[in-house]
Coordinates of all heavy atoms in Angstrom, one line a residue:
F1067 N -6.6 6.5 18.4 CA -5.6 5.6 17.9 C -6.1 5.0 16.6 O -7.3 4.5 16.5 CB -5.5 4.5 19.0 CG -4.3 3.5 18.7 CD1 -3.1 3.8 19.1 CD2 -4.6 2.3 18.1 CE1 -2.0 2.9 18.8 CE2 -3.6 1.4 17.8 CZ -2.3 1.7 18.2
Q1068 N -5.3 5.0 15.6 CA -5.6 4.4 14.3 C -4.4 3.5 13.9 O -3.3 3.9 14.0 CB -5.9 5.5 13.3 CG -7.1 6.3 13.6 CD -7.5 7.2 12.4 OE1 -7.0 7.0 11.3 NE2 -8.3 8.2 12.7
V1069 N -4.8 2.4 13.3 CA -3.8 1.5 12.7 C -3.7 1.9 11.2 O -4.7 1.9 10.5 CB -4.2 0.0 12.9 CG1 -3.2 -0.9 12.2 CG2 -4.3 -0.3 14.4
L1070 N -2.4 2.2 10.8 CA -2.2 2.4 9.4 C -1.7 1.2 8.7 O -0.7 0.6 9.1 CB -1.2 3.6 9.2 CG -1.5 4.9 9.8 CD1 -0.4 5.9 9.6 CD2 -2.8 5.4 9.3
Q1071 N -2.5 0.7 7.7 CA -2.2 -0.5 7.0 C -1.2 -0.2 5.9 O -1.6 0.4 4.9 CB -3.4 -1.2 6.4 CG -4.4 -1.6 7.5 CD -5.7 -2.0 6.9 OE1 -6.2 -1.4 6.0 NE2 -6.2 -3.2 7.4
V1072 N 0.1 -0.5 6.0 CA 1.1 -0.2 5.0 C 1.1 -1.3 4.0 O 1.3 -2.5 4.3 CB 2.5 -0.1 5.7 CG1 3.5 0.2 4.7 CG2 2.5 1.0 6.7
P1073 N 0.8 -0.9 2.7 CA 0.8 -1.9 1.7 C 2.2 -2.4 1.2 O 3.1 -1.6 1.4 CB 0.1 -1.2 0.5 CG 0.4 0.2 0.7 CD 0.5 0.4 2.2
A1074 N 2.2 -3.6 0.7 CA 3.4 -4.1 0.1 C 3.6 -3.4 -1.2 O 2.6 -3.1 -1.9 CB 3.4 -5.6 -0.1
P1075 N 4.9 -3.2 -1.7 CA 5.1 -2.6 -3.0 C 4.3 -3.3 -4.1 O 3.8 -2.7 -5.0 CB 6.6 -2.7 -3.2 CG 7.1 -2.7 -1.8 CD 6.1 -3.4 -1.0
A1076 N 4.2 -4.6 -4.0 CA 3.5 -5.4 -5.1 C 2.0 -5.0 -5.1 O 1.3 -5.2 -6.2 CB 3.6 -6.9 -4.9
Q1077 N 1.5 -4.4 -4.1 CA 0.1 -3.9 -4.0 C -0.1 -2.5 -4.6 O -1.2 -2.2 -4.9 CB -0.4 -4.0 -2.6 CG -0.6 -5.3 -2.0 CD -1.1 -5.3 -0.6 OE1 -0.4 -4.7 0.3 NE2 -2.3 -5.8 -0.4
I1078 N 1.0 -1.8 -4.8 CA 0.8 -0.4 -5.2 C 1.6 0.0 -6.4 O 1.3 1.0 -7.1 CB 1.1 0.6 -4.0 CG1 2.6 0.3 -3.5 CG2 0.1 0.5 -2.9 CD1 3.0 1.4 -2.5
C1079 N 2.7 -0.7 -6.7 CA 3.5 -0.4 -7.9 C 3.3 -1.3 -9.0 O 3.1 -2.5 -8.9 CB 5.0 -0.5 -7.5 SG 5.5 0.7 -6.2
P1080 N 3.3 -0.8 -10.2 CA 3.2 -1.6 -11.4 C 4.4 -2.6 -11.4 O 5.5 -2.2 -11.0 CB 3.3 -0.7 -12.6 CG 3.0 0.7 -12.0 CD 3.4 0.6 -10.6
P1081 N 4.3 -3.8 -12.0 CA 5.4 -4.8 -12.0 C 6.7 -4.3 -12.5 O 7.8 -4.6 -12.1 CB 4.8 -5.9 -12.8 CG 3.4 -5.8 -12.7 CD 3.1 -4.3 -12.6
D1082 N 6.6 -3.4 -13.6 CA 7.9 -2.9 -14.2 C 8.5 -1.7 -13.4 O 9.5 -1.2 -13.8 CB 7.6 -2.6 -15.6 CG 6.6 -1.4 -15.8 OD1 5.8 -1.2 -14.9 OD2 6.7 -0.7 -16.9
A1083 N 7.9 -1.3 -12.4 CA 8.4 -0.1 -11.6 C 9.4 -0.5 -10.5 O 10.1 0.3 -10.0 CB 7.2 0.7 -11.0
V1084 N 9.5 -1.8 -10.2 CA 10.4 -2.3 -9.2 C 11.1 -3.6 -9.7 O 10.5 -4.3 -10.5 CB 9.7 -2.6 -7.9 CG1 9.2 -1.3 -7.2 CG2 8.5 -3.6 -8.0
D1085 N 12.3 -3.8 -9.3 CA 13.1 -4.9 -9.8 C 12.8 -6.2 -9.2 O 13.3 -7.2 -9.6 CB 14.6 -4.6 -9.6 CG 15.1 -3.4 -10.5 OD1 14.4 -3.1 -11.5 OD2 16.1 -2.8 -10.1
Y1086 N 12.1 -6.2 -8.0 CA 11.9 -7.4 -7.3 C 10.6 -8.1 -7.5 O 10.2 -9.0 -6.8 CB 12.1 -7.2 -5.8 CG 11.5 -5.9 -5.3 CD1 10.2 -5.9 -5.0 CD2 12.3 -4.8 -5.2 CE1 9.6 -4.7 -4.6 CE2 11.7 -3.6 -4.7 CZ 10.3 -3.6 -4.4 OH 9.8 -2.4 -4.0
T1087 N 9.8 -7.6 -8.5 CA 8.6 -8.3 -8.8 C 8.9 -9.7 -9.5 O 9.7 -9.7 -10.4 CB 7.7 -7.5 -9.8 OG1 7.4 -6.2 -9.2 CG2 6.5 -8.2 -10.2
P1088 N 8.3 -10.7 -9.0 CA 8.6 -12.1 -9.6 C 8.3 -12.1 -11.1 O 7.3 -11.6 -11.5 CB 7.6 -13.0 -8.8 CG 7.2 -12.3 -7.6 CD 7.3 -10.8 -8.0
R1089 N 9.2 -12.6 -11.8 CA 9.1 -12.7 -13.3 C 8.2 -13.9 -13.6 O 8.2 -15.0 -13.0 CB 10.4 -12.9 -13.9 CG 11.3 -11.7 -13.8 CD 12.6 -11.9 -14.6 NE 13.7 -11.0 -14.4 CZ 13.8 -9.8 -13.9 NH1 12.8 -9.3 -13.3 NH2 14.9 -9.1 -13.8
G1090 N 7.3 -13.7 -14.6 CA 6.5 -14.8 -15.0 C 5.3 -15.1 -14.1 O 4.6 -16.1 -14.3
V1091 N 5.1 -14.3 -13.1 CA 4.0 -14.5 -12.2 C 3.1 -13.2 -12.2 O 3.7 -12.1 -12.0 CB 4.5 -14.7 -10.7 CG1 3.4 -14.8 -9.8 CG2 5.4 -16.0 -10.7
S1092 N 1.9 -13.4 -12.4 CA 1.0 -12.3 -12.3 C 0.3 -12.2 -11.0 O -0.5 -13.1 -10.6 CB -0.1 -12.4 -13.4 OG -1.1 -11.3 -13.2
L1093 N 0.6 -11.2 -10.2 CA 0.0 -11.1 -8.8 C -1.4 -10.7 -9.0 O -2.2 -10.7 -8.0 CB 0.8 -10.1 -8.0 CG 2.3 -10.5 -7.7 CD1 3.0 -9.4 -7.0 CD2 2.3 -11.8 -7.0
A1094 N -1.9 -10.3 -10.2 CA -3.3 -10.0 -10.4 C -4.1 -11.2 -10.6 O -5.3 -11.1 -10.8 CB -3.4 -9.0 -11.6
D1095 N -3.5 -12.4 -10.7 CA -4.2 -13.6 -10.9 C -4.9 -14.0 -9.6 O -4.4 -14.5 -8.7 CB -3.2 -14.7 -11.3 CG -3.9 -16.1 -11.5 OD1 -5.1 -16.2 -11.3 OD2 -3.2 -17.0 -11.9
T1096 N -6.2 -13.7 -9.6 CA -7.0 -13.9 -8.3 C -7.2 -15.4 -8.0 O -7.7 -15.7 -6.9 CB -8.4 -13.2 -8.4 OG1 -9.1 -13.7 -9.6 CG2 -8.2 -11.7 -8.5
R1097 N -7.0 -16.3 -9.0 CA -7.1 -17.7 -8.7 C -5.9 -18.2 -7.8 O -6.0 -19.1 -7.0 CB -7.1 -18.5 -10.0 CG -8.4 -18.3 -10.8 CD -8.3 -18.9 -12.1 NE -7.2 -18.3 -12.8 CZ -6.5 -18.8 -13.9 NH1 -6.8 -20.0 -14.3 NH2 -5.5 -18.1 -14.4
R1098 N -4.8 -17.4 -7.9 CA -3.6 -17.8 -7.1 C -3.3 -16.9 -5.9 O -2.7 -17.3 -4.9 CB -2.4 -17.8 -8.0 CG -2.4 -18.9 -9.1 CD -1.2 -18.9 -9.9 NE 0.0 -19.3 -9.1 CZ 1.2 -19.1 -9.5 NH1 1.5 -18.6 -10.7 NH2 2.2 -19.5 -8.7
F1099 N -3.7 -15.6 -6.1 CA -3.3 -14.6 -5.1 C -4.5 -13.8 -4.7 O -5.4 -13.5 -5.5 CB -2.2 -13.6 -5.7 CG -1.0 -14.3 -6.1 CD1 -0.8 -14.5 -7.5 CD2 -0.1 -14.8 -5.3 CE1 0.4 -15.2 -7.9 CE2 1.1 -15.5 -5.7 CZ 1.3 -15.6 -7.0
D1100 N -4.5 -13.4 -3.4 CA -5.6 -12.5 -2.9 C -4.9 -11.2 -2.4 O -4.4 -11.2 -1.3 CB -6.2 -13.2 -1.7 CG -7.4 -12.4 -1.1 OD1 -7.6 -11.3 -1.5 OD2 -8.0 -12.9 -0.2
A1101 N -4.9 -10.2 -3.3 CA -4.2 -9.0 -3.0 C -4.8 -8.2 -1.8 O -4.1 -7.4 -1.2 CB -4.2 -8.1 -4.2
D1102 N -6.0 -8.5 -1.5 CA -6.6 -7.8 -0.4 C -6.5 -8.5 1.0 O -6.9 -8.0 2.0 CB -8.1 -7.6 -0.7 CG -8.8 -6.6 0.3 OD1 -8.2 -5.5 0.5 OD2 -9.8 -7.0 0.8
Q1103 N -5.9 -9.7 1.0 CA -5.9 -10.5 2.2 C -5.2 -9.8 3.4 O -5.7 -9.8 4.5 CB -5.2 -11.9 2.0 CG -5.2 -12.7 3.2 CD -4.4 -14.0 3.0 OE1 -3.4 -14.1 2.2 NE2 -4.9 -15.1 3.6
P1104 N -4.0 -9.2 3.2 CA -3.4 -8.5 4.4 C -4.3 -7.4 5.0 O -4.4 -7.3 6.2 CB -2.1 -7.9 3.8 CG -1.8 -8.7 2.6 CD -3.1 -9.1 2.0
Q1105 N -4.9 -6.6 4.1 CA -5.8 -5.6 4.6 C -7.0 -6.2 5.2 O -7.5 -5.7 6.3 CB -6.1 -4.6 3.5 CG -5.0 -3.7 3.1 CD -3.8 -4.3 2.3 OE1 -4.0 -5.4 1.8 NE2 -2.7 -3.7 2.3
R1106 N -7.6 -7.2 4.6 CA -8.8 -7.8 5.2 C -8.6 -8.4 6.6 O -9.3 -8.2 7.5 CB -9.4 -8.9 4.2 CG -10.7 -9.4 4.7 CD -11.3 -10.4 3.7 NE -10.4 -11.5 3.3 CZ -9.7 -11.6 2.2 NH1 -9.8 -10.6 1.3 NH2 -8.9 -12.6 1.9
I1107 N -7.5 -9.1 6.7 CA -7.1 -9.7 8.1 C -6.9 -8.5 9.1 O -7.4 -8.6 10.2 CB -5.9 -10.6 7.9 CG1 -6.3 -11.8 7.1 CG2 -5.4 -11.0 9.3 CD1 -5.1 -12.7 6.8
T1108 N -6.2 -7.5 8.7 CA -5.9 -6.4 9.6 C -7.2 -5.7 10.0 O -7.4 -5.4 11.2 CB -5.0 -5.4 8.9 OG1 -3.8 -6.0 8.6 CG2 -4.7 -4.2 9.9
R1109 N -8.1 -5.5 9.0 CA -9.5 -4.9 9.4 C -10.2 -5.8 10.4 O -10.8 -5.3 11.3 CB -10.3 -4.7 8.1 CG -9.9 -3.5 7.2 CD -11.0 -3.2 6.1 NE -11.3 -4.4 5.3 CZ -10.6 -4.7 4.2 NH1 -9.6 -3.9 3.8 NH2 -11.0 -5.7 3.5
Q1110 N -10.2 -7.1 10.2 CA -10.9 -8.0 11.1 C -10.3 -7.9 12.5 O -11.0 -7.9 13.5 CB -10.8 -9.4 10.5 CG -11.6 -9.6 9.3 CD -11.3 -11.0 8.6 OE1 -10.4 -11.7 8.9 NE2 -12.2 -11.3 7.7
L1111 N -8.9 -7.9 12.6 CA -8.3 -7.9 13.9 C -8.6 -6.5 14.5 O -8.8 -6.5 15.8 CB -6.8 -8.1 13.7 CG -6.3 -9.4 13.3 CD1 -4.8 -9.4 12.9 CD2 -6.6 -10.5 14.4
C1112 N -8.5 -5.5 13.8 CA -8.8 -4.1 14.4 C -10.2 -4.0 14.8 O -10.5 -3.5 15.9 CB -8.5 -3.0 13.3 SG -6.7 -2.8 13.1
A1113 N -11.2 -4.6 14.0 CA -12.6 -4.5 14.4 C -12.8 -5.3 15.7 O -13.5 -4.9 16.6 CB -13.5 -5.1 13.3
A1114 N -12.1 -6.5 15.8 CA -12.3 -7.3 17.1 C -11.7 -6.5 18.3 O -12.2 -6.7 19.4 CB -11.6 -8.6 16.9
A1115 N -10.7 -5.7 18.1 CA -10.0 -5.0 19.2 C -10.7 -3.6 19.4 O -10.3 -2.9 20.3 CB -8.5 -4.8 18.9
G1116 N -11.6 -3.2 18.5 CA -12.3 -1.9 18.6 C -11.4 -0.8 18.2 O -11.5 0.3 18.6
L1117 N -10.5 -1.1 17.2 CA -9.5 -0.1 16.8 C -9.9 0.4 15.3 O -10.4 -0.4 14.5 CB -8.1 -0.6 16.7 CG -7.5 -1.0 18.0 CD1 -6.2 -1.7 17.8 CD2 -7.4 0.2 19.0
A1118 N -9.7 1.6 15.1 CA -9.9 2.2 13.7 C -8.6 1.8 12.9 O -7.5 1.8 13.4 CB -10.0 3.7 13.7
C1119 N -8.9 1.5 11.6 CA -7.7 1.2 10.8 C -7.9 1.9 9.4 O -9.0 2.2 9.0 CB -7.6 -0.3 10.5 SG -8.9 -1.1 9.7
V1120 N -6.8 2.2 8.8 CA -6.8 3.0 7.6 C -5.9 2.3 6.6 O -4.7 2.0 6.8 CB -6.2 4.4 7.8 CG1 -6.1 5.2 6.5 CG2 -7.0 5.2 8.8
D1121 N -6.5 1.9 5.5 CA -5.8 1.3 4.4 C -5.1 2.4 3.6 O -5.7 3.3 3.1 CB -6.8 0.6 3.5 CG -6.1 -0.2 2.3 OD1 -4.9 -0.1 2.1 OD2 -6.9 -1.0 1.7
L1122 N -3.7 2.3 3.5 CA -3.0 3.4 2.8 C -2.9 3.2 1.3 O -2.3 4.0 0.6 CB -1.6 3.5 3.4 CG -1.5 4.0 4.8 CD1 0.0 4.0 5.3 CD2 -2.1 5.4 5.0
R1123 N -3.4 2.1 0.8 CA -3.3 1.9 -0.7 C -3.9 3.1 -1.5 O -3.3 3.5 -2.5 CB -4.0 0.6 -1.1 CG -3.2 -0.6 -0.7 CD -3.9 -1.9 -1.1 NE -5.1 -2.1 -0.3 CZ -5.9 -3.1 -0.4 NH1 -5.7 -4.1 -1.3 NH2 -7.0 -3.2 0.3
P1124 N -5.0 3.7 -1.1 CA -5.5 4.8 -1.9 C -4.5 6.0 -1.9 O -4.5 6.8 -2.9 CB -6.8 5.3 -1.1 CG -7.2 4.0 -0.5 CD -6.0 3.3 0.0
A1125 N -3.6 6.1 -1.0 CA -2.6 7.2 -1.0 C -1.7 7.1 -2.2 O -1.1 8.1 -2.6 CB -1.8 7.2 0.3
F1126 N -1.6 5.9 -2.8 CA -0.7 5.6 -3.9 C -1.4 5.6 -5.2 O -0.8 5.1 -6.2 CB 0.1 4.3 -3.6 CG 0.9 4.4 -2.4 CD1 0.5 3.8 -1.2 CD2 2.2 5.0 -2.4 CE1 1.3 3.8 -0.1 CE2 3.0 5.0 -1.3 CZ 2.5 4.4 -0.1
A1127 N -2.6 6.0 -5.3 CA -3.4 6.0 -6.5 C -2.8 7.0 -7.5 O -2.2 8.0 -7.1 CB -4.8 6.3 -6.3
G1128 N -2.9 6.7 -8.8 CA -2.5 7.6 -9.8 C -1.0 7.5 -10.1 O -0.4 6.4 -9.9
P1129 N -0.4 8.5 -10.7 CA 1.0 8.5 -11.1 C 2.0 8.1 -10.1 O 3.0 7.6 -10.4 CB 1.2 9.9 -11.7 CG -0.1 10.5 -11.9 CD -1.1 9.8 -11.0
V1130 N 1.7 8.5 -8.8 CA 2.7 8.2 -7.7 C 3.0 6.7 -7.6 O 4.0 6.3 -7.1 CB 2.3 8.9 -6.4 CG1 1.1 8.1 -5.7 CG2 3.5 9.0 -5.4
S1131 N 2.1 5.9 -8.0 CA 2.3 4.4 -7.9 C 3.6 4.0 -8.6 O 4.2 3.1 -8.2 CB 1.1 3.6 -8.4 OG 1.0 3.7 -9.8
R1132 N 3.9 4.7 -9.7 CA 5.1 4.3 -10.5 C 6.4 4.7 -9.7 O 7.4 4.1 -9.9 CB 5.0 5.0 -11.8 CG 6.2 4.7 -12.7 CD 5.8 4.8 -14.2 NE 4.9 3.7 -14.7 CZ 5.3 2.5 -14.8 NH1 6.5 2.0 -14.6 NH2 4.4 1.6 -15.3
T1133 N 6.3 5.7 -8.9 CA 7.5 6.2 -8.2 C 7.5 6.1 -6.7 O 8.3 6.7 -6.0 CB 7.8 7.7 -8.6 OG1 6.6 8.5 -8.2 CG2 8.0 7.9 -10.1
A1134 N 6.5 5.4 -6.2 CA 6.3 5.3 -4.7 C 7.4 4.5 -4.0 O 7.7 4.8 -2.8 CB 4.9 4.7 -4.4
C1135 N 7.9 3.5 -4.6 CA 8.9 2.6 -4.0 C 10.2 2.7 -4.7 O 10.3 2.9 -5.9 CB 8.3 1.2 -4.0 SG 6.8 1.0 -3.0
Q1136 N 11.3 2.5 -3.9 CA 12.6 2.4 -4.5 C 12.7 1.2 -5.4 O 12.1 0.2 -5.1 CB 13.7 2.4 -3.5 CG 13.7 3.7 -2.7 CD 14.8 3.7 -1.7 OE1 15.8 3.1 -1.9 NE2 14.6 4.5 -0.6
R1137 N 13.3 1.4 -6.5 CA 13.4 0.4 -7.6 C 14.0 -1.0 -7.1 O 13.6 -2.0 -7.5 CB 14.1 0.9 -8.8 CG 14.1 0.0 -10.0 CD 14.2 0.8 -11.2 NE 13.9 0.0 -12.4 CZ 12.7 -0.3 -12.8 NH1 11.6 0.2 -12.1 NH2 12.4 -1.1 -13.8
N1138 N 15.0 -0.9 -6.2 CA 15.7 -2.1 -5.9 C 15.6 -2.5 -4.4 O 16.3 -3.4 -3.9 CB 17.2 -1.9 -6.2 CG 17.8 -0.8 -5.5 OD1 17.1 0.0 -4.8 ND2 19.1 -0.6 -5.7
N1139 N 14.6 -1.9 -3.7 CA 14.4 -2.4 -2.3 C 12.9 -2.1 -1.9 O 12.2 -1.5 -2.7 CB 15.4 -1.9 -1.3 CG 15.3 -0.4 -1.1 OD1 14.2 0.2 -1.0 ND2 16.4 0.3 -1.1
L1140 N 12.5 -2.5 -0.7 CA 11.1 -2.4 -0.4 C 10.7 -1.0 0.3 O 9.6 -0.9 0.8 CB 10.7 -3.5 0.6 CG 10.9 -4.9 0.1 CD1 10.7 -5.9 1.2 CD2 10.0 -5.2 -1.1
H1141 N 11.6 -0.1 0.3 CA 11.3 1.2 0.9 C 10.7 2.2 0.0 O 10.8 2.2 -1.2 CB 12.7 1.8 1.5 CG 13.3 1.0 2.5 ND1 12.9 0.9 3.8 CD2 14.4 0.1 2.4 CE1 13.6 0.0 4.4 NE2 14.6 -0.5 3.6
W1142 N 9.9 3.1 0.6 CA 9.3 4.2 -0.1 C 10.3 5.2 -0.6 O 11.3 5.4 0.1 CB 8.2 4.9 0.7 CG 7.0 4.1 1.1 CD1 6.5 3.0 0.5 CD2 6.1 4.3 2.2 NE1 5.4 2.5 1.1 CE2 5.1 3.3 2.1 CE3 6.1 5.3 3.1 CZ2 4.1 3.3 3.1 CZ3 5.1 5.3 4.1 CH2 4.1 4.3 4.0
T1143 N 10.0 5.9 -1.7 CA 10.8 7.0 -2.1 C 10.3 8.3 -1.4 O 9.3 8.2 -0.7 CB 10.6 7.2 -3.6 OG1 9.3 7.4 -3.9 CG2 11.1 5.9 -4.4
E1144 N 10.9 9.4 -1.7 CA 10.5 10.6 -1.2 C 9.0 10.9 -1.7 O 8.2 11.4 -0.9 CB 11.4 11.8 -1.7 CG 11.1 13.1 -1.1 CD 12.1 14.2 -1.5 OE1 13.2 13.8 -1.8 OE2 11.7 15.4 -1.5
E1145 N 8.7 10.6 -2.9 CA 7.4 10.7 -3.5 C 6.4 9.9 -2.7 O 5.2 10.3 -2.5 CB 7.3 10.4 -5.0 CG 8.1 11.4 -5.8 CD 9.6 11.0 -6.0 OE1 10.1 10.0 -5.4 OE2 10.3 11.7 -6.7
G1146 N 6.8 8.6 -2.4 CA 5.9 7.8 -1.7 C 5.6 8.3 -0.3 O 4.4 8.3 0.2
H1147 N 6.6 8.8 0.4 CA 6.4 9.3 1.8 C 5.5 10.6 1.7 O 4.6 10.8 2.5 CB 7.7 9.7 2.4 CG 8.5 8.6 3.0 ND1 8.2 8.0 4.2 CD2 9.5 7.8 2.5 CE1 9.0 7.0 4.4 NE2 9.8 6.8 3.4
A1148 N 5.7 11.4 0.7 CA 4.9 12.6 0.5 C 3.4 12.3 0.3 O 2.5 12.9 0.8 CB 5.5 13.5 -0.6
A1149 N 3.2 11.2 -0.5 CA 1.8 10.8 -0.8 C 1.1 10.4 0.4 O 0.0 10.7 0.7 CB 1.8 9.7 -1.9
V1150 N 1.8 9.6 1.2 CA 1.2 9.1 2.5 C 1.0 10.2 3.4 O -0.1 10.3 4.1 CB 2.1 8.0 3.1 CG1 1.6 7.6 4.5 CG2 2.1 6.7 2.2
A1151 N 2.0 11.1 3.6 CA 1.8 12.2 4.5 C 0.6 13.1 4.1 O -0.2 13.5 5.0 CB 3.1 13.1 4.5
A1152 N 0.4 13.4 2.8 CA -0.7 14.2 2.4 C -2.0 13.4 2.6 O -3.0 14.0 3.1 CB -0.6 14.5 0.9
F1153 N -2.0 12.1 2.4 CA -3.2 11.3 2.6 C -3.6 11.3 4.1 O -4.8 11.5 4.5 CB -3.0 9.9 2.2 CG -4.1 9.0 2.3 CD1 -5.1 9.0 1.3 CD2 -4.2 8.1 3.3 CE1 -6.2 8.1 1.4 CE2 -5.3 7.2 3.4 CZ -6.3 7.2 2.5
V1154 N -2.6 11.1 5.0 CA -2.9 11.0 6.4 C -3.3 12.4 6.9 O -4.2 12.6 7.8 CB -1.7 10.5 7.2 CG1 -1.9 10.6 8.7 CG2 -1.5 9.0 6.8
E1155 N -2.7 13.5 6.4 CA -3.0 14.8 6.8 C -4.5 15.1 6.5 O -5.2 15.7 7.3 CB -2.1 15.8 6.1 CG -2.5 17.3 6.4 CD -1.6 18.3 5.7 OE1 -1.4 18.1 4.4 OE2 -1.2 19.3 6.3
R1156 N -5.0 14.7 5.3 CA -6.4 14.9 5.0 C -7.3 14.1 6.0 O -8.4 14.5 6.2 CB -6.7 14.4 3.6 CG -6.1 15.4 2.5 CD -6.6 15.1 1.1 NE -6.2 13.8 0.6 CZ -5.1 13.4 0.0 NH1 -4.2 14.4 -0.1 NH2 -4.8 12.2 -0.4
L1157 N -6.8 13.0 6.4 CA -7.7 12.2 7.4 C -7.7 12.9 8.8 O -8.8 12.8 9.4 CB -7.1 10.8 7.6 CG -7.1 9.8 6.4 CD1 -6.4 8.6 6.8 CD2 -8.6 9.5 6.1
L1158 N -6.6 13.5 9.2 CA -6.5 14.0 10.6 C -7.0 15.4 10.7 O -7.5 15.8 11.8 CB -5.1 13.8 11.0 CG -4.5 12.4 11.1 CD1 -3.1 12.4 11.6 CD2 -5.4 11.6 12.1
L1159 N -6.8 16.2 9.7 CA -7.1 17.7 9.9 C -8.5 17.9 9.4 O -8.9 17.4 8.3 CB -6.1 18.5 9.1 CG -4.7 18.4 9.6 CD1 -3.8 19.3 8.7 CD2 -4.6 18.9 11.1
P1160 N -9.2 18.8 10.1 CA -10.6 19.2 9.6 C -10.5 19.8 8.2 O -9.6 20.6 8.0 CB -11.1 20.1 10.7 CG -10.1 20.1 11.8 CD -8.8 19.5 11.3
Q1161 N -11.4 19.5 7.4 CA -11.5 20.1 6.1 C -12.2 21.4 6.1 O -13.3 21.5 6.8 CB -12.1 19.1 5.1 CG -11.4 17.8 4.9 CD -9.9 17.9 4.5 OE1 -9.7 18.6 3.5 NE2 -9.0 17.3 5.2
P1162 N -11.7 22.4 5.4 CA -12.4 23.7 5.4 C -13.8 23.7 4.7 O -14.1 22.9 4.0 CB -11.5 24.6 4.7 CG -10.5 23.8 3.9 CD -10.6 22.4 4.6

């Protein structure tokens, strides 16, 4: 059993790639925001319960971050789903 930590679009997409990024607010401002907090809390809860957890943010690294989420809502695009599927497949299947 593994818990997959699904990131928020603000954690994986550049601000100009989605229409719902707050204007005039930098989510990269570590004095105001802790972008790792959801994953850190999930890791702590999973560790306490003896569960493995997987942070999916690395699945969105590189060019796919620009196209991973639909521009006007919080859902992944086909490219985002494909990136996660490939990432999880590498985790689950033995590597040659």
